[in-house]
Amino acid sequence: MKRVVVGLSGGVDSSVAAYLLKEQGYEVIGIFMRNWTDESVTLHNECPWIDDSTDAMLVAEKLGIPFQTIDFSAEYKDRIVDYMFREYELGRTPNPDVLCNREIKFDVFLDAALKLGADLVATGHYCRRDEIQGPDGPVYRLLSGLDPNKDQSYFLCQVSQEQLSKALFPIGHLQKSEVRAIAARENLITANKKDSQGLCFVGQISLPEFLQQKLKVKEGKVIEIPSDLPMYTDYNSLSDSDLSGLSHPFTYQPEMGKIVGKHDGAHFYTIGQRKGLNIGGTARPLFVIALDVENNIIYTGQGEDHPGLYRKALFIRNDEIHWIRKDLIPGNGGLKVKSRIRYRQPLEDATIIPSPEGWYLKFDRPQKGITPGQFAAWYLDDELIGSGVIHY
């Protein structure tokens, strides 16, 4: 009998994952990962970790499986929280959930599970894994979850073949409604529990308060940029072969626009952001189109169709690209793929193209809010084959 350690988060998805594995005949152990100890920056009524841990323990008792809590808060701070602060300080927008899967769930947690004699680890992600035979042995494929509204394959875009070889995703073939129905049928305490929207295994973080622990409040100018600048016309006239030009962000100067307000620090904002500017008096909503962290300036534009929000390509450095399927790395001609630059974004037609300086992801149509620090992921059909950190 194979032993599987399940990451029990105290939510319905991991609860049902554990139930299904037990029904399939595995020896199941439940572990709750305690990743955060500073409750001063959480919204206390939104999934505090102690309530989640209690719910996870009650699910384990109901299923009759061993359970324990393991504290990974030191590793989480080193690998995730410190990374977040560094990225925001540079004016980039990190994705801690992607890093949490790579660094915590399928690294630190996996190591802890193997020390418990586990053959495999499992989570409640809405994605699938299968195995095909390659010329040098088995190849593991990361596939989208069958519920299109819950597919979480994007969050696993940085896992490796070795990590996938030890992973199970028991609910990836189910719809969310089916998961809740199973939990209700089995009288699991998590059956009607709402989904957490916070950082992975941490809870709902008050992000401004969280960032202000290390990043200082610093008043600066909000400048509105008009939509008819010549640079936008010049950009649209670039040829498809000018990958550097297509991917490079627009460069703004204060004299190009007008001051419309103030902010508390450019590093607290992100490209494409609308909420949180607290500036009225414009005919259409303002969106963040660029950040100048060095000079502490936020550049904005009116309306979600502002040309400053859109680019046709993005760039990924060689040291920040990751292939789950190294056997599919393309040659000079590139590879036609489907891609997304954020969770829940519909997949877009694109081409991943190598170059001496790095990789370019060129889209068939311009993309809104390409954000440095976020992850672009690309697929062949429903298989996620690679990803990378957006450089610019």
Side-chain angles (χ1 to χ4, degrees):
M1 181 187 297
K2 286 191 174 182
R3 176 177 291 179
V4 182
V5 171
V6 182
L8 284 178
S9 67
V12 65
D13 299 327
S14 61
S15 302
V16 172
Y19 164 77
L20 292 174
L21 288 170
K22 188 180 179 188
E23 288 296 295
Q24 292 163 18
Y26 290 102
E27 178 191 354
V28 181
I29 298 172
I31 288 182
F32 178 84
M33 294 176 248
R34 185 181 182 190
N35 289 342
W36 192 244
T37 55
D38 184 359
E39 294 186 5
S40 67
V41 292
T42 59
L43 303 180
H44 294 285
N45 294 324
E46 295 288 339
C47 299
W49 77 267
I50 196 163
D51 290 347
D52 288 339
S53 176
T54 300
D55 289 345
M57 178 183 67
L58 291 172
V59 166
E61 286 182 0
K62 177 72 175 177
L63 298 178
I65 62 174
F67 172 81
Q68 62 178 289
T69 295
I70 299 183
D71 192 335
F72 294 137
S73 55
E75 293 89 344
Y76 191 87
K77 180 186 180 302
D78 289 344
R79 300 194 189 192
I80 310 300
V81 176
D82 289 348
Y83 151 82
M84 285 181 63
F85 283 127
R86 286 195 304 271
E87 289 290 279
Y88 274 107
E89 201 164 22
L90 293 170
R92 289 154 57 102
T93 303
N95 192 313
D97 290 297
V98 172
L99 266 293
C100 182
N101 284 313
R102 187 184 78 187
E103 300 289 335
I104 304 297
K105 293 179 188 173
F106 293 97
D107 190 346
V108 179
F109 171 66
L110 175 58
D111 287 346
L114 295 177
K115 289 175 183 175
L116 292 173
D119 300 291
L120 299 159
V121 297
T123 65
H125 283 103
Y126 285 86
C127 60
R128 296 169 294 145
R129 185 211 74 164
D130 72 4
E131 179 182 337
I132 60 174
Q133 195 62 32
D136 301 317
V139 174
Y140 298 94
R141 304 196 307 156
L142 176 63
L143 307 173
S144 302
L146 292 186
D147 186 337
N149 294 315
K150 294 297 295 182
D151 169 39
Q152 294 173 311
S153 57
Y154 173 83
F155 289 133
L156 290 148
C157 68
Q158 288 275 295
V159 298
S160 66
Q161 280 288 307
E162 183 179 0
Q163 290 168 326
L164 275 179
S165 74
K166 300 289 187 182
L168 291 176
F169 306 110
I171 65 169
H173 63 292
L174 298 173
Q175 303 291 305
K176 181 73 178 195
S177 57
E178 294 176 297
V179 170
R180 288 205 181 275
I182 291 170
R185 185 190 71 209
E186 300 303 319
N187 294 315
L188 300 180
I189 192 171
T190 55
N192 296 311
K193 188 174 181 178
K194 68 178 182 178
D195 293 340
S196 171
Q197 301 298 316
L199 297 181
C200 75
F201 282 94
V202 173
Q204 188 79 304
I205 289 290
S206 174
L207 192 57
E209 293 178 34
F210 186 69
L211 294 175
Q212 285 171 22
Q213 290 182 100
K214 281 195 175 181
L215 305 182
K216 294 180 181 179
V217 172
K218 183 181 178 183
E219 187 177 281
K221 299 172 184 176
V222 177
I223 294 177
E224 181 189 335
I225 298 294
S227 61
D228 57 355
L229 294 181
M231 70 166 74
Y232 298 138
T233 303
D234 295 342
Y235 179 83
N236 289 327
S237 66
L238 293 175
S239 70
D240 284 350
S241 62
D242 188 356
L243 296 172
S244 178
L246 291 174
S247 62
H248 211 279
F250 298 110
T251 301
Y252 300 100
Q253 301 297 330
E255 59 269 20
M256 293 178 177
K258 63 179 181 179
I259 299 172
V260 292
K262 298 178 181 179
H263 62 80
D264 291 330
H267 42 253
F268 295 132
Y269 294 82
T270 186
I271 305 298
Q273 181 173 338
R274 172 185 171 183
K275 295 180 180 178
L277 286 169
N278 299 318
I279 297 172
T282 56
R284 305 176 69 192
L286 289 175
F287 289 80
V288 176
I289 61 173
L291 301 174
D292 181 349
V293 173
E294 185 175 347
N295 295 303
N296 200 32
I297 298 172
I298 293 176
Y299 292 100
T300 63
Q302 281 194 41
E304 60 183 341
D305 57 352
H306 191 284
L309 280 172
Y310 291 84
R311 293 213 309 280
K312 298 176 183 177
L314 58 84
F315 177 71
I316 299 167
R317 296 186 333 200
N318 282 319
D319 63 344
E320 291 191 316
I321 198 159
H322 172 73
W323 290 91
I324 297 175
R325 291 287 303 275
K326 288 184 169 62
D327 55 316
L328 297 176
I329 297 176
N332 290 337
L335 179 67
K336 291 287 291 182
V337 294
K338 298 280 189 178
S339 181
R340 58 170 50 105
I341 57 174
R342 62 182 63 87
Y343 175 54
R344 297 183 71 87
Q345 180 199 26
L347 289 170
E348 297 279 347
D349 291 318
T351 306
I352 182 75
I353 304 167
S355 74
E357 61 270 21
W359 291 79
Y360 291 96
L361 189 61
K362 182 168 70 70
F363 293 91
D364 287 10
R365 61 178 189 171
Q367 295 298 296
K368 176 186 173 186
I370 292 176
T371 307
Q374 289 282 288
F375 289 86
W378 44 92
Y379 297 69
L380 289 179
D381 297 321
D382 62 348
E383 180 186 2
L384 199 163
I385 64 168
S387 66
V389 181
I390 299 170
H391 185 63
Y392 58 72

